[in-house]
Amino acid sequence: SQDRQNMRLTAVMIVAIITLLVLFIGGGIPALSSMGSFISGMKKDATVIQSDDTVVLEPILDPPVTATNTGTIAITGTGTTGSTVLLYVNGSKQEEILVGREGTFTFPRARLKNGNNEIYTITKLNNSKSQPSKSFTVSYLNQPPKLEITKPEDKYATKDQELIIEGSTDKDVEVTINDRFVYTDPNGNFTITFSLSKGENTINFKATDIAGNTAQKELKIIYED
C-alpha cells in the first residue's frame, strides 16, 4: 500500500543520514560528496509507486417490489459517496447516477420488460469498478389473470340449496367468491360448495395476481325449493 511505501522511504532516508554523518566525521568533504550521490540514487529507487488497483465496494440495493403492473419502478440503495452507480436491467446498462453526500442513490424510473427482470448495480470510482451488487428479480405483469367458471353456467336454476362451483385461474393467483377466499391447487383449479338463498343469488368472482392485476366475473343463480 502507499502508506507502507512511504514508511519504507522514510526508513531509508534515516539510515542514509546517519551513515552520512559518520562518513563526514571520518572522511570529510570527499566522503560527503560521494554519499550525496548515493542518497540521490537510493531516493530514486524508493520512489512511491502509485497504483490504480483501487478496491471498490459494490452498492447495496434496497429490496424492490417483487412484481408490478407498471412499466417502471424506483430503485434505491446506498453506496460510496462521490462514486457513480451503474444500473443494469437484464444484463444491459440502463442509467448511471452520482452517489450523494448522504451515501444514498435513487433511480426513479427503471424501465422493465414484460415478464421477469433481473436488476443489479455496479460502483464506478475513478478507473475501477466493483463487483455486481446482489441482484433482484422483478416481474412486470400488465394483463389480468385468467378466470374461468366451468360449473355452473350463468342464470342456472336449481332446487338444491348447496351449489358446487368449479373454475380455474393462473398459478399463484388469489381467488375470492363474494369476498371469501377460495383455495386453489398448484395449477390454479378450484372447487367450492356455495349455500344458496331462495330466489336469485348473485355470486361475484375475483382473481388477483401478484402484481395487483384483477379479473372479475359474476353469476346469477336461481334457487327454487
Side-chain angles (χ1 to χ4, degrees):
S1 68
Q2 185 171 343
D3 289 343
R4 192 177 302 129
Q5 291 170 333
N6 288 335
M7 290 177 63
R8 177 172 175 266
L9 176 59
T10 300
V12 168
M13 295 299 295
I14 291 173
V15 172
I17 291 171
I18 293 173
T19 304
L20 175 62
L21 291 174
V22 172
L23 289 176
F24 177 73
I25 293 172
I29 298 300
L32 179 62
S33 178
S34 299
M35 192 58 198
S37 299
F38 171 74
I39 292 174
S40 178
M42 289 291 290
K43 184 176 180 180
K44 183 177 180 180
D45 292 340
T47 299
V48 175
I49 299 174
Q50 299 293 333
S51 174
D52 290 332
D53 297 333
T54 306
V55 177
V56 182
L57 298 178
E58 62 268 22
I60 299 176
L61 287 183
D62 301 323
V65 296
T66 58
T68 180
N69 55 16
T70 61
T72 60
I73 61 170
I75 300 296
T76 61
T78 57
T80 303
T81 299
S83 67
T84 300
V85 174
L86 314 179
L87 172 67
Y88 287 80
V89 180
N90 300 316
S92 298
K93 191 184 88 168
Q94 193 172 106
E95 297 181 62
E96 60 181 63
I97 195 169
L98 187 67
V99 179
R101 186 181 307 172
E102 298 80 10
T104 61
F105 60 87
T106 300
F107 294 98
R109 295 178 63 83
R111 300 181 302 278
L112 308 175
K113 67 175 182 64
N114 286 328
N116 292 333
N117 296 265
E118 183 190 22
I119 296 174
Y120 62 90
T121 52
I122 290 176
T123 297
K124 182 174 70 174
L125 184 61
N126 298 327
N127 295 321
S128 300
K129 289 184 179 181
S130 72
Q131 293 295 315
S133 68
K134 178 181 179 180
S135 65
F136 292 90
T137 299
V138 177
S139 298
Y140 171 35
L141 308 173
N142 63 353
Q143 297 296 322
K146 178 184 76 173
L147 178 58
E148 295 180 353
I149 309 302
T150 54
K151 179 183 179 181
E153 60 186 14
D154 190 26
K155 298 181 180 178
Y156 174 72
T158 179
K159 294 183 179 298
D160 296 323
Q161 186 175 15
E162 300 301 316
L163 177 71
I164 297 177
I165 300 174
E166 297 178 356
S168 63
T169 185
D170 297 319
K171 293 181 179 180
D172 301 320
V173 170
E174 180 182 286
V175 175
T176 59
I177 296 180
N178 286 1
D179 296 324
R180 183 176 66 175
F181 175 77
V182 175
Y183 169 79
T184 59
D185 68 19
N187 294 318
N189 301 309
F190 58 89
T191 301
I192 186 174
T193 301
F194 188 88
S195 184
L196 300 171
S197 300
K198 287 185 179 181
E200 186 178 79
N201 294 259
T202 299
I203 306 176
N204 294 303
F205 302 83
K206 184 177 181 180
T208 307
D209 66 18
I210 58 176
N213 299 299
T214 62
Q216 299 186 60
K217 285 195 173 182
E218 180 183 276
L219 289 183
K220 299 286 189 181
I221 304 297
I222 300 171
Y223 168 46
E224 301 173 341
D225 58 1

